[in-house]
Amino acid sequence: MIDNSLINWPEEKVEKLKAHYAEILSLLGEDPNREGLLKTPERVAKAMLTLTRGYEMDPREVLNAAKFKEPYSQMVIVKDIDFFSMCEHHMLPFYGKAHVAYIPNGYITGLSKIARVVDIFSHRLQVQERMTLQIKECIQETLNPLGVMVVVEAKHMCMQMRGVEKQNSVTTTSDFTGAFNQAKTREEFMNLIRARY
């Protein structure tokens, strides 16, 4: 867990965001000087900087920092990677799980690094389809494996809180390269991510 008191917040950005959020509160009919709202603009400014911290990180560097030569050439799967992101259309959260597989071609990476790649791309304003593609492309371009497959399952607050207000809908996206173009390989991956241990 991150201790917010230890974070070195970019002061200029925080101040600019605070001013905008105070104005938003006024436009919504609230009094930003009301006791309960006095610190809200600053809290929201810091929250938004946290939720979009992925812009400051390079996921390729993360993978390369733990890239190892290894002759293993079977499927490597990291499944049930929890993520939270922000829909770029309404700036409301969407959240769920990502499942990532790759088939090494001489190089592997630390397993936690796959989860970090998901974390970095999810901490940007996103659409689920693009996030799925970005995770796949990053792993493919950095590790050059025989294939990559990514499946993302998510619930979108923009569908649950507004618009159609459908509470139980789940959106699934997938993308793949190389060996995963074969239906048998994709099916093996899907069976493995469905399996519960």
Side-chain angles (χ1 to χ4, degrees):
M1 190 165 84
I2 297 172
D3 182 349
N4 283 340
S5 66
L6 300 177
I7 296 175
N8 188 16
W9 298 102
E11 195 173 324
E12 186 179 347
K13 277 189 181 179
V14 171
E15 288 304 313
K16 286 182 178 178
L17 286 166
K18 272 173 59 178
H20 288 295
Y21 284 116
E23 178 66 16
I24 287 168
L25 288 172
S26 293
L27 289 169
L28 291 174
E30 266 292 357
D31 175 8
N33 295 311
R34 181 165 63 80
E35 183 183 14
L37 293 175
L38 278 175
K39 293 188 177 179
T40 297
E42 182 175 351
R43 288 189 192 107
V44 178
K46 290 177 178 178
M48 289 305 295
L49 289 172
T50 299
L51 295 170
T52 59
R53 68 180 182 259
Y55 289 118
E56 308 296 325
M57 302 175 191
D58 183 348
R60 288 161 186 81
E61 280 183 15
V62 168
L63 290 177
N64 279 322
K67 186 176 176 180
F68 310 105
K69 204 166 182 59
E70 189 63 47
Y72 186 80
S73 60
Q74 300 301 313
M75 197 181 301
V76 176
I77 300 173
V78 183
K79 69 177 188 175
D80 295 331
I81 303 167
D82 291 317
F83 76 88
F84 296 87
S85 193
M86 295 280 283
C87 164
E88 69 180 31
H89 299 146
H90 301 97
M91 291 181 71
L92 289 171
F94 68 96
Y95 61 94
K97 294 184 183 297
H99 315 284
V100 180
Y102 73 101
I103 300 173
N105 184 22
Y107 290 92
I108 61 169
T109 190
L111 298 176
S112 67
K113 306 308 178 189
I114 300 293
R116 292 281 293 136
V117 168
V118 172
D119 187 63
I120 289 168
F121 284 118
S122 66
H123 280 83
R124 300 177 180 183
L125 296 181
Q126 279 289 11
V127 294
Q128 183 175 332
E129 297 88 341
R130 183 174 64 242
M131 188 178 88
T132 305
L133 173 70
Q134 288 174 330
I135 296 165
K136 178 209 73 176
E137 285 181 342
C138 177
I139 295 167
Q140 183 64 52
E141 291 167 7
T142 309
L143 299 179
N144 192 31
L146 299 174
V148 179
M149 185 162 179
V150 178
V151 172
V152 176
E153 303 168 298
K155 290 190 169 191
H156 292 250
M157 298 304 284
C158 58
M159 286 182 66
Q160 293 178 298
M161 293 176 67
R162 53 158 303 283
V164 294
E165 296 185 13
K166 298 302 177 195
Q167 305 308 313
N168 298 307
S169 63
V170 176
T171 301
T172 302
T173 51
S174 67
D175 205 347
F176 48 85
T177 65
F180 289 97
N181 282 300
Q182 299 172 31
K184 184 180 176 185
T185 309
R186 288 198 308 276
E187 185 179 349
E188 179 186 353
F189 171 60
M190 295 304 291
N191 287 337
L192 287 167
I193 67 172
R194 288 187 192 112
R196 297 294 165 209
Y197 300 104

